[in-house]
Amino acid sequence: MTGPRFALALAATLLAAPTLLPTGCFAQDYPARPVRIIVPFGAGGPADVTARLIGNILQEGLGQPFVIEDRPGAGGVIGTVEAAKSAPDGYTLLMMSNAQTANESLVPQRKYELMRDLVPIAPINSSDLVIAVNPQVPAKTLQEFIALAKSQPGKLNYASSGQGTPYHMAGELFKAMAGIDLVHVPYRNSGEARSGVIGGQVQMMIDAVTTMAPNVEAGQVRALATTGKTRSDVLPNVPTVTDAGVPGYEATIWLGFMAPAGTPKPIIDKLNAAINAATKRPDIVKLWAGQGAIAMSMSPEEFDKYLRGDIVKWADVVKKFADKPQ
């Protein structure tokens, strides 16, 4: 081929050349500017605190600020919609929890689908919850609280940080398995819900051990039981729900990162490696252990499988137990 036709073919080849670059080039210079982490829950809660900790570590390792943006509301839906609609370029991440997997069945009118509109990056950690009551509640044990609730059906309240949050789902599961009728009082975030229990506006809350333990130790609330398979090292004198008389009950909260669908795989892999390195750091493992949290580490593919399994798990809970929003 010679003449004009050759020149046109050569020009077309040169214009197409960037698409032939190795996929790793997407991540070679990433990140080149600040990255925002959307936290769809309130300030001061486990997700917010953990996002700031991991964000600082990522900033140290990757050389750019990881800026936290709290976007609470609707049990995590508002912030998740914001993340799902963001550009898939690696510069918007979502800090998420099992609130999102529960919302797949609990909130049918949401404006996104988790596994369609977002892609998994990595999990962070998981922690047990604690059932705590205001000190004025005349129940010193979980069995006494269950008996009190049965004697006053629909009269006692329990707080959560919103519909679909792990605290709400744990509460609904507890109601069903204990055979009691409690009124769900959703707050805008876990900090406000915690204040509601401490102030006596509501009688009970199921909250993360990581954040409620200081309130237990200060006598602001009374811990009746923790929700893991074994006793929490943070509250070793508090029995598990199973040991306290509701066999088989278990609930946790876990945290992780996702990104908008379409984010280049090399960027996902780079973030996954950096996050897994952070959660495996001995100082971080020790810090979380002292708070009742266990570090998690998975590949994006393993986390994808984990999320899909959790969606099925909570769909079954919602179908059987949860009070769907009207």
Side-chain angles (χ1 to χ4, degrees):
M1 186 186 302
T2 60
R5 292 177 63 190
F6 176 78
L8 289 172
L10 178 61
T13 301
L14 292 173
L15 287 173
T19 65
L20 302 177
L21 290 172
T23 56
C25 291
F26 283 113
Q28 184 175 359
D29 297 323
Y30 173 86
R33 54 186 171 86
V35 178
R36 67 169 179 161
I37 299 175
I38 294 177
V39 178
F41 310 108
D48 175 69
V49 172
T50 303
R52 294 179 190 280
L53 174 64
I54 297 299
N56 287 337
I57 296 174
L58 294 177
Q59 178 173 329
E60 293 172 5
L62 298 177
Q64 289 289 341
F66 281 71
V67 182
I68 308 304
E69 292 187 13
D70 291 323
R71 297 289 183 89
V77 170
I78 291 175
T80 304
V81 169
E82 173 73 15
K85 295 168 67 175
S86 298
D89 55 10
Y91 290 95
T92 297
L93 310 180
L94 174 71
M95 168 63 83
M96 47 89 68
S97 74
N98 33 340
Q100 276 80 2
T101 52
N103 282 340
E104 288 294 286
S105 51
L106 186 66
V107 187
Q109 302 304 316
R110 68 198 181 285
K111 298 180 180 180
Y112 68 91
E113 288 185 20
L114 191 68
M115 306 309 291
R116 180 194 68 192
D117 299 324
L118 294 138
V119 293
I121 302 175
I124 304 298
N125 64 26
S126 66
S127 62
D128 293 343
L129 310 177
V130 57
I131 298 179
V133 296
N134 180 275
Q136 298 304 313
V137 173
K140 299 294 193 284
T141 67
L142 189 66
Q143 279 299 322
E144 289 180 3
F145 180 78
I146 292 171
L148 180 66
K150 287 183 175 180
S151 71
Q152 304 177 40
K155 300 297 183 181
L156 301 181
N157 300 326
Y158 84 94
S160 84
S161 53
Q163 292 276 3
T165 59
Y167 316 115
H168 169 216
M169 300 305 292
E172 291 300 309
L173 185 60
F174 173 63
K175 283 169 53 178
M177 293 185 70
I180 56 178
D181 180 13
L182 303 175
V183 178
H184 177 221
V185 181
Y187 284 77
R188 291 184 298 178
N189 56 63
S190 58
E192 291 186 5
R194 205 172 303 118
S195 295
V197 177
I198 294 171
Q201 286 78 41
V202 290
Q203 285 78 41
M204 186 270 275
M205 180 182 181
I206 302 179
D207 198 6
V209 169
T210 51
T211 48
M212 186 63 92
N215 303 111
V216 173
E217 293 166 358
Q220 296 173 314
V221 294
R222 180 186 304 123
L224 300 182
T226 55
T227 65
K229 291 182 178 179
T230 60
R231 293 196 179 207
S232 169
D233 291 339
V234 178
L235 297 171
N237 295 324
V238 179
T240 66
V241 176
T242 290
D243 290 342
V246 185
Y249 181 93
E250 182 184 359
T252 62
I253 178 173
W254 55 258
L255 302 170
F257 281 110
M258 298 187 81
T263 300
K265 185 64 163 59
I267 291 178
I268 296 294
D269 290 340
K270 187 171 186 177
L271 286 166
N272 175 269
I275 292 167
N276 283 339
T279 62
K280 291 177 181 177
R281 279 177 37 168
D283 58 329
I284 299 301
V285 172
K286 182 178 180 181
L287 172 68
W288 284 342
Q291 299 171 346
I294 300 173
M296 300 174 70
S297 177
M298 297 180 191
S299 68
E301 293 74 21
E302 289 169 337
F303 192 34
D304 182 280
K305 183 177 180 180
Y306 181 88
L307 290 172
R308 293 180 189 277
D310 214 51
I311 289 170
V312 172
K313 167 189 171 181
W314 288 116
D316 185 56
V317 173
V318 169
K319 181 179 179 181
K320 292 180 179 178
F321 310 133
D323 53 332
K324 293 185 179 182
Q326 301 299 315

